[in-house]
Amino acid sequence: MRLGSLRQLTLASFVLALVPLIALLWQSQNDLAKVGKMTHVETRYVVDVVGLMQQLDGAAIDLERALRQYAIIRNETVAELTDNAIIQFVEALKELCTSLPASNTCDTIKKDITQLKTFRNIDDTRVLNAYLNAMNKHVSLMRKDVDTAIQQRLEVQKNDLNAMQAKQAWSTAMLVSVSLLLILLGSQLIVNPVKKLKQIIRILAQEQGTLPPLSTQAPTELIGVEKDLHWLADRLQQLEHIRTALLRHAAHELKTPLASIKEGCSLLSENVVGHLNTQQTEVLALLTSSTQRLNTLIEKLLDYNLLLQQAQPTFTEVNPSQMVKDCLEDYALALQEREVTVDIRVSKIWVDEELYRRILDNLISNAVAHGAVGRPINLAIYEKDKHITLDVANRGKRISPETVTRLFEPFTRGDDPRNDNVIGTGLGLSIVSDCAKLMHGDVEVAEVDYADVCFRVTIPQEEEQ
């Protein structure tokens, strides 16, 4: 399955991430409406029941006043007024008891009213007072029942609100989590192809490993970029083969005429074809010197070409003291006027012997060619942080920071002339860098207080590398 374009994927991820948030908003609106309705109902109930209680209190006062008046006056007009007061009290009690279905006081007050309805037959004032006191007491109890009912309703409302709040919290957490997961999923659909593109670019830069297969589940634009990178990798491989073949064939083809030139110079210098005058001898010396220089350049090209073809190093245990001694003996003629300080603090190192010897040869050759004449050269090999470090330092002109950034690129030469007046190939330090990288190491221009220029090579010492 192939995903759509990057724009479609982004919009779809955004819409999917909004769905849980919209559901959360809808649920919040419903809960808010329920809370508003619940608050309205409970407020209406409290207002109604308090109003009914006030009506009952008023009816009780009117009823007591009418009964006491009848007890004094005892005529039919007052009796009718008392009957009306009893009817109003009963109606008020009925409405209040309807709102308080669980109140037992209603039945008690009804019994009191039944007794008071016989007020025409009550002649003793003490009996009437007893009935009225009982009614007032029960009306007071009714007030407490009203307060209790209101508190119970408020408690129920509080519990409902707490339950609704807890539900809202869980819903919010769940829907926000779902939204975040959808966002992460959408971003991952974009991040994974981008990571794969970075991996391909890293493989192309390091020239190590094979490219992963083309993606099938990625945005169209990123698949297009991946295809372009695969094409670029094939093209770079073709160019690399062309460069290697060019170096190999060019060096080989130059060897043949160069050998003829060297042989001719040798015959002329031995006077095989006749004696040479002074001027001819000087020209022959120039030809011989140029031939030697050209032969050195060709050997450098062949060495660089061989290094490019080497896939994996072979690590062995090497004696650094013996390697340095052999290398310095090879440069004994060039080092006649130089003092070389050697500081080797390890008895063995774990490296590819041929690659490490190339590093030594090129760094010492570079120090001889560019170091100040008559000034010492320092060479040190020591272990630091599980890495073998090689420092080759010389005195002379410091290297500018601008030059350091491109110093280890192939065919890059320094701006200062060499001590031997020979134009170099610009491959020496590039070979050092490539040899170090093949052994999983690195090379840099280090700052030291005892020399002006110091090249430092670090190689990791893990025997299972």
Side-chain angles (χ1 to χ4, degrees), residues 313-320 323 348-356 439 459-463 465:
T314 303
F315 288 89
T316 57
E317 189 175 285
V318 177
N319 185 346
M323 180 181 288
K348 61 181 181 179
I349 56 178
W350 186 259
V351 294
D352 184 300
E353 185 173 3
E354 182 179 354
L355 294 178
Y356 207 75
M439 292 186 287
I459 308 296
Q461 294 297 284
E462 297 179 2
E463 296 189 4
Q465 60 186 324

Side-chain angles (χ1 to χ4, degrees), residues 13-24:
S13 301
F14 182 73
V15 171
L16 286 177
L18 280 179
V19 170
L21 298 179
I22 294 174
L24 178 61

Side-chain angles (χ1 to χ4, degrees), residues 49-67:
V49 77
V50 170
L52 292 174
M53 188 65 227
Q54 289 177 352
Q55 290 180 7
L56 184 64
D57 286 336
I61 293 172
D62 292 341
L63 177 59
E64 182 177 0
R65 183 183 301 111
L67 288 171

Side-chain angles (χ1 to χ4, degrees), residues 258 291-301 425:
L258 182 62
T291 303
Q292 292 290 346
R293 175 170 163 268
L294 182 59
N295 185 65
T296 301
L297 295 178
I298 293 174
E299 289 178 354
K300 285 281 187 180
L301 285 175
T425 60

